[in-house]
Amino acid sequence: MQTSLTGKWNLTVNKINCEAQIPGDFHSALLEGKFIPDPYFGKNEETLQYLNKADFTISRTFTYKIIKNTKAILEITFADTIFSLFINDKKAGSGNNMFTRHRFDITKFLQNGENSIKIIFFSVENAAEKEAAKLTYPVPYSKADIYSPNRNLIRKTQCHSGWDWGPCLMVSGIYGDIFIDTVTTGLFDSLKLNYEKSKQNKDFVWKVKAELEYESFVEADRDFYFVVSGPDIAETEIKKSVHLSKGKNTINSVIPVKNPSVWKTSTELKEEGLEENPVYFISIRFKGEHNIQSYTKQFCFHDLKCVSKKEKSGGRSLYFDNNGRKIFAKGANWIPVDALPSRWNFETYYKLLKAAVDANMNCIRVWGGGTYEKDCFYEICDRLGLIIWQDFMFACSLYPVTNSFKENVREEIIYQVNRLQHHACIGIWCGNNENLGTLNWFSESLQNRDRYLVDYDRLYQGLIGPIVKELDPNRLWWPTSPCAGPDDFADNWHNDNQGDMHYWSVWHEKKNFSAYLDIKPRFVSEFGYESMVSLECVKTYSTEKDLNFTSPVSEYHQRSPSGNTLMLESFARYFRFPTNFENQIYLSQVQQAVAIQTAVNWWRSLEPYCMGSIVWQLNDVWPGPSWSSIEYGGNWKLLHYAEKEMFEPVHLAQAVKDNAYSVFLINDYKEDINCSVKIHFMDFNGKKVKKSEVIKIQVKSGTSKEVYKGNCTDSELKASDYFVFAELKTKSGNIVFESETTIFPSLYKKCEIEKPEIKLEFTTDSSKIEITVTAQKPAFFVSLNSHEAKGTFSRNCFTVLPNKPVHVSFIPENPEELKKALKLMTVKSLRDTY
């Protein structure tokens, strides 16, 4: 029997008393009560830093009926972070880790009838300062422009202390459930699932190997019933009679299931014309003295692996294998969906993850400076077929290895691995983000590398790795990212021959986009380029006077050092300079798309040598310029539309380097592709300057092949006088593949692009707007914009040629948005910016 304690609580902080919703964070409660300004507007964030040192108290009353011979266990999930619990004014427990589940036996503190509960959340910043004072030597960490110090000493979401894309808001609260469980026998602790499959006559039989951890408060004999159910299978029940001892009990059961559906990646689902994986349920129940206890998990039958092999050449591969098929990982890095956790909800999770799938992604990296996400996040990924690269929550820092810190981490890792292990989507466990690399960042570790390397080894290889391998031995343990492989402590930032790498030379070192072509990586788990958000998004945090790239507010919301300046400098490198702020926003998004496309096209052309391209980043925690492809609020940037095309299963890619260009055909489809690729050579009036070529080609599944190679300048053509347009249209079964790419042999700014005279024609029905886009002369990076009308286009950021209409659909979020879009729709191309 459960007594829920979610809902309205009373919040007290700094003589303020107001209502707070649980689950929720206290900054959001203060904002809702109008006690603080919007932290995302202007420079309000810096005026709220005083809250970093505040303690927050929440309280309420509840009614409880005491039942003889039962225990009352208070459970809290996702409590952020350091707190003390009081029942009827008596201390009943405490916590200091955001990433663990807290259970407290409060039986002796309760009374029949009305009871009071109070939880004091203490300032993490103050606590971190006290922990720092205890250290016998410094443990350095990276810092943002606005930051809360010593973040690495407390087990809390690290980016709450400020990052190079987000604010410093040291929020606190309860973001999961809180309830009292009244029990007689004990509590379900965790459930892990593994599988064994075999062929029996014409049937595929999967044995579900369930490992239940149960904490018993009594010694007793109990019958546990394990039931597997779901679509297209017969419900199967297995009875397990066990003798429970006081404390932890492990109960194993094997449930055979005939011919279930097997989990597919989003890539494979689309091949089959499916939108989601079917999900199954395992329920475990038994009857206690006063009630029936049950425990249910959603799962999918799966055979997903991450494989890394040392090669004779000295390299090391890294790739995902699903049901015996190598999968090129196409995806993005995930950060928390909002700096205010009250806004972490199913709708936002689903919208972002569905947008990733719609952009032909099949992989999400849950980055180590954020949080282990809520259950619904992983359940959505199971359904949508998104592979999860799961970091543990350590990022861009060195960490202490005191006994108390390690014990705190031990409980966290055990809880999180046990919580997430049953999800089909989990592809790899990764120890941290960039922490091996940080040994080369700080003066302390540079001067005494051995000390900090030993600490690093103790935490990840000595503590976390062995726990992961014991609890989930069938998944790959990857110590850090980037990483050359297990037990390899080499700096892998610029080693493209082994494991995964992070490649930031283009953005942080300001190299040309062509530098992406200088490496031949095995798997790239981070790389990115920034852009500005839409004008509509800028207006949510700026006044009219700040609508400028270098205004104080624009530069305040830019958290990457000199980020806005770098974007402007890059304009001058590649493009003619845009005339106003709105054109600069558009060009920044074009520029971002070009940068990422340059990288992805080249790395995909190396398949199967290279098997992963994970863009930094998918989403934003607040509104402002960043590396995201989806801006805060859910609007797709041009990059996200470009990713939809560059991650197509059958894709025409390009590479331009050393006065030569190449066209590649990449085939991630399950079957070989036979097709014809047309190559057109045109001037900027749309006239052909050279005879088109038609090239017949066959590309095997899971590979790439060069279709065409040309010189940027030859005896007939000057590089700045023409462009190349390659296209294909082919069919495999009922699936039609179309792809195109536009190549500029010269820099865009050197070309005399003509005014294209674009026209739009609309037809509508109740669910969408069909748009026909035409142009009198070639139009490049054509961008449709619905402005305040919410919805997505079927494609965007494309080339329009004369006498070759492009058909685009606009799908609004609701019928009202459709009406708004018809009134507000505009179009822009590269030539319109100067």
Side-chain angles (χ1 to χ4, degrees), residues 357-373:
V357 171
D358 289 343
N360 290 312
M361 295 182 185
N362 58 22
C363 186
I364 295 292
R365 176 176 176 239
V366 179
W367 169 74
T371 186
Y372 309 97
E373 289 294 351

Side-chain angles (χ1 to χ4, degrees), residues 37-64:
D38 180 355
Y40 297 171
F41 190 82
K43 297 184 178 182
N44 288 342
E45 171 211 6
E46 64 183 6
T47 71
L48 299 176
Q49 294 304 297
Y50 70 94
L51 290 174
N52 295 355
K53 291 188 171 294
D55 298 335
F56 294 81
T57 300
I58 57 171
S59 60
R60 61 167 288 174
T61 59
F62 62 94
T63 301
Y64 188 81

Side-chain angles (χ1 to χ4, degrees), residues 412 666 740 780 825:
E412 168 190 329
I666 300 156
E740 62 186 47
F780 306 101
M825 192 85 67

Side-chain angles (χ1 to χ4, degrees), residues 463-651:
L463 177 66
I464 299 175
I467 294 173
V468 174
K469 292 175 184 178
E470 179 185 353
L471 296 178
D472 195 12
N474 295 325
R475 285 193 174 95
L476 181 66
W477 157 252
W478 199 244
T480 183
S481 180
C483 182
D487 302 316
D488 191 324
F489 293 90
D491 180 1
N492 212 45
W493 281 80
H494 297 98
N495 183 353
D496 60 359
N497 189 37
Q498 299 190 84
D500 75 307
M501 70 182 301
H502 294 185
Y503 191 72
W504 282 103
S505 295
V506 171
W507 176 260
H508 288 303
E509 297 174 30
K510 303 181 182 180
K511 289 186 177 181
N512 289 330
F513 296 168
S514 60
Y516 287 123
L517 311 181
D518 292 337
I519 61 171
K520 292 185 176 181
R522 310 308 301 263
F523 194 115
V524 185
S525 47
E526 266 195 36
F527 66 104
Y529 205 87
E530 277 204 357
S531 71
M532 186 63 78
V533 293
S534 67
L535 182 61
E536 289 71 31
C537 188
V538 173
K539 288 180 178 179
T540 66
Y541 62 84
S542 298
T543 60
E544 287 291 326
K545 66 182 177 64
D546 284 308
L547 299 182
N548 187 289
F549 245 78
T550 56
S551 72
V553 167
S554 282
E555 295 196 332
Y556 181 83
H557 275 249
Q558 168 59 268
R559 292 306 163 88
S560 179
S562 304
N564 287 2
T565 300
L566 180 52
M567 283 188 272
L568 294 173
E569 289 176 351
S570 197
F571 289 169
R573 189 184 301 182
Y574 298 105
F575 302 97
R576 300 190 187 189
F577 212 82
T579 55
N580 57 45
F581 185 51
E582 189 169 1
N583 285 337
Q584 289 166 3
I585 290 172
Y586 159 83
L587 191 58
S588 77
Q589 294 197 14
V590 167
Q591 181 170 261
Q592 180 189 35
V594 170
I596 300 306
Q597 193 172 48
T598 302
V600 171
N601 279 342
W602 173 240
W603 298 336
R604 285 193 70 192
S605 78
L606 302 175
E607 187 178 352
Y609 180 85
C610 176
M611 287 301 292
S613 178
I614 311 298
V615 183
W616 185 273
Q617 65 208 65
L618 181 72
N619 56 306
D620 276 325
V621 298
W622 78 328
S626 80
W627 296 277
S628 73
S629 64
I630 301 176
E631 67 187 28
Y632 183 80
N635 185 55
W636 291 21
K637 293 182 181 178
L638 293 184
L639 171 59
H640 205 70
Y641 289 105
E643 286 170 335
K644 184 177 181 179
E645 297 200 358
M646 69 180 82
F647 286 147
E648 292 169 325
V650 176
H651 175 59

